[in-house]
Amino acid sequence: MRIISKKTLRLFWVSNPKYMNSQSALEVWHDEARKSSWKTPADIKAKYAHASILKNNRVVFNIKGNDYRLVVRINYDFGIVYIRFIGTHKQYDEIDVETI
């Protein structure tokens, strides 16, 4: 998969010292996603059983033992993953996941 963009993840973990503990988990997710070839939501669920599949091709991944939430939009036809949001549960609760 092509991921747009890792810079968003990097900016998150450097934006605040308390988020630095997310770096290794986000790098692992990025590496696994980059090597994947997801064609359907079922492909994601096979690897990430706790991922939430939502409307508008959105997927929510639990990061670092569910400390953080990563929201992506996937274009399955072209193999592109767009990072839409990364944050804490509190920050996640403040967004509309299906439109972000």
Side-chain angles (χ1 to χ4, degrees), residues 44-93:
I44 296 170
K45 289 298 272 186
K47 172 73 178 169
Y48 298 97
H50 295 290
S52 299
I53 308 298
L54 305 175
K55 294 178 186 176
N56 298 326
N57 292 324
R58 301 302 200 271
V59 180
V60 180
F61 293 93
N62 298 316
I63 302 295
K64 194 183 172 293
N66 211 15
D67 287 348
Y68 302 100
R69 296 275 175 99
L70 172 64
V71 179
V72 303
R73 185 176 64 82
I74 300 177
N75 182 320
Y76 294 98
D77 293 334
F78 292 99
I80 302 174
V81 176
Y82 300 92
I83 296 173
R84 307 300 299 155
F85 170 85
I86 176 67
T88 64
H89 279 267
K90 182 179 179 183
Q91 293 164 333
Y92 172 83
D93 289 342

Side-chain angles (χ1 to χ4, degrees), residues 15-70:
S15 68
N16 189 320
K18 67 182 178 183
Y19 301 149
M20 283 298 294
N21 66 354
S22 68
Q23 180 178 354
S24 62
L26 287 168
E27 286 180 333
V28 167
W29 176 88
H30 182 272
D31 190 53
E32 290 174 353
R34 187 177 51 80
K35 293 176 182 174
S36 297
S37 57
W38 300 322
K39 299 293 183 197
T40 67
D43 294 338
I44 296 170
K45 289 298 272 186
K47 172 73 178 169
Y48 298 97
H50 295 290
S52 299
I53 308 298
L54 305 175
K55 294 178 186 176
N56 298 326
N57 292 324
R58 301 302 200 271
V59 180
V60 180
F61 293 93
N62 298 316
I63 302 295
K64 194 183 172 293
N66 211 15
D67 287 348
Y68 302 100
R69 296 275 175 99
L70 172 64

